[in-house]
Amino acid sequence: AQSVTQLGSHVSVSEGALVLLRCNYSSSVPPYLFWYVQYPNQGLQLLLKYTTGATLVKGINGFEAEFKKSETSFHLTKPSAHMSDAAEYFCAVRPEGDDKIIFGKGTRLHILP
Amino acid sequence: GAVVSQHPSWVICKSGTSVKIECRSLDFQATTMFWYRQFPKQSLMLMATSNEGSKATYEQGVEKDKFLINHASLTLSTLTVTSAHPEDSSFYICSARSGLAGFTDTQYFGPGTRLTVL
């Protein structure tokens, strides 16, 4: 069965520093890959997605992620963290041909002033 | 574009009563809608998948008689929690997916409904 692993349930970075949130998936066939952000007491907002084509995907709010098939990874990055980036981030996969999205357990990003 | 709304955003009810939560796609037609449950500080758990005009498909362990899902139109799905009990208290989130070619790969999420059962 497909699974998604997010390394680190909590990540803290200083304001202005690089943000790196790690995500690995298990699949022999590259699935569709997503990053969602959730602010407190809100639903999920799509940050970016990879389906096919260019492996470096740019999303909203300055985030980007790179699909690396050889590493089965889809890590999320942002060059310079803002206080407003503090939230819960979920990596998710959707196996090709499947309706369902499988979510990772989430990583809470803390921004230090 | 791709806005999904939920109503109500929060609800408090007494044990034994039923609560209905609405999920609407505001600017697209959603052939498929999904209902999730999220416990505090945890990830989303898929409860069921519903296609417009069809019966919902429930995930293993989800009581279909307790969580009634209706997807009567391409823009509206409802989740009714019947005979609610305190253990049903949770954050319920819906998502919707368009059936249009080129737009079927992404689910768009509603803002969630916080249910508290006293």
Side-chain angles (χ1 to χ4, degrees), chain B residues 7-22:
Chain B
H7 178 79
S9 55
W10 58 269
V11 57
I12 301 173
C13 69
K14 292 181 178 180
S15 184
T17 61
S18 295
V19 174
K20 179 184 284 188
I21 302 170
E22 293 185 349

Side-chain angles (χ1 to χ4, degrees), chain A residues 34 36 38 49 94 99 104, chain B residues 38 43 97 104-107:
Chain A
F34 306 85
Y36 287 90
Q38 185 180 33
K49 65 180 179 182
R94 180 184 162 211
D99 259 353
Chain B
Q38 186 180 31
S43 191
R97 193 183 71 202
T104 59
D105 58 8
T106 303
Q107 292 181 24

Side-chain angles (χ1 to χ4, degrees), chain A:
Chain A
Q2 287 265 4
S3 66
V4 180
T5 303
Q6 290 183 240
L7 292 177
S9 57
H10 291 265
V11 170
S12 296
V13 301
S14 297
E15 190 174 17
L18 171 72
V19 175
L20 171 60
L21 303 183
R22 300 179 186 272
C23 173
N24 288 87
Y25 64 92
S26 66
S27 174
S28 58
V29 178
Y32 295 155
L33 296 156
F34 306 85
W35 274 100
Y36 287 90
V37 61
Q38 185 180 33
Y39 297 99
N41 296 310
Q42 295 186 29
L44 275 66
Q45 181 181 9
L46 179 67
L47 275 178
L48 47 80
K49 65 180 179 182
Y50 169 80
T51 54
T52 59
T55 56
L56 181 62
V57 181
K58 295 186 184 296
I60 63 171
N61 302 340
F63 285 94
E64 61 183 38
E66 185 171 11
F67 167 59
K68 291 187 177 180
K69 182 179 177 181
S70 61
E71 299 178 6
T72 60
S73 69
F74 192 56
H75 302 329
L76 181 71
T77 61
K78 181 173 180 177
S80 177
H82 293 176
M83 296 300 292
S84 59
D85 294 327
E88 187 86 21
Y89 291 80
F90 291 97
C91 180
V93 302
R94 180 184 162 211
E96 193 172 355
D98 198 332
D99 259 353
K100 304 173 189 175
I101 286 182
I102 301 165
F103 285 91
K105 293 189 175 182
T107 297
R108 181 162 295 278
L109 177 62
H110 304 271
I111 309 299
L112 307 174

Side-chain angles (χ1 to χ4, degrees), chain B residues 30-110:
Chain B
T31 53
T32 307
M33 287 185 167
F34 305 83
W35 285 95
Y36 295 84
R37 185 172 180 177
Q38 186 180 31
F39 292 103
K41 302 185 187 302
Q42 294 189 30
S43 191
L44 280 71
M45 181 191 77
L46 179 65
M47 299 174 66
T49 302
S50 73
N51 291 297
E52 185 265 339
S54 303
K55 289 185 178 180
T57 302
Y58 290 81
E59 294 300 298
Q60 191 172 9
V62 178
E63 300 176 60
K64 61 180 67 177
D65 293 331
K66 181 167 189 59
F67 298 101
L68 301 178
I69 291 172
N70 183 277
H71 190 168
S73 78
L74 286 171
T75 59
L76 173 65
S77 177
T78 59
L79 167 67
T80 302
V81 183
T82 62
S83 186
H85 291 283
E87 57 266 30
D88 299 325
S89 299
S90 191
F91 195 51
Y92 292 88
I93 304 176
C94 73
S95 71
R97 193 183 71 202
S98 170
L100 288 176
F103 292 89
T104 59
D105 58 8
T106 303
Q107 292 181 24
Y108 297 94
F109 286 79

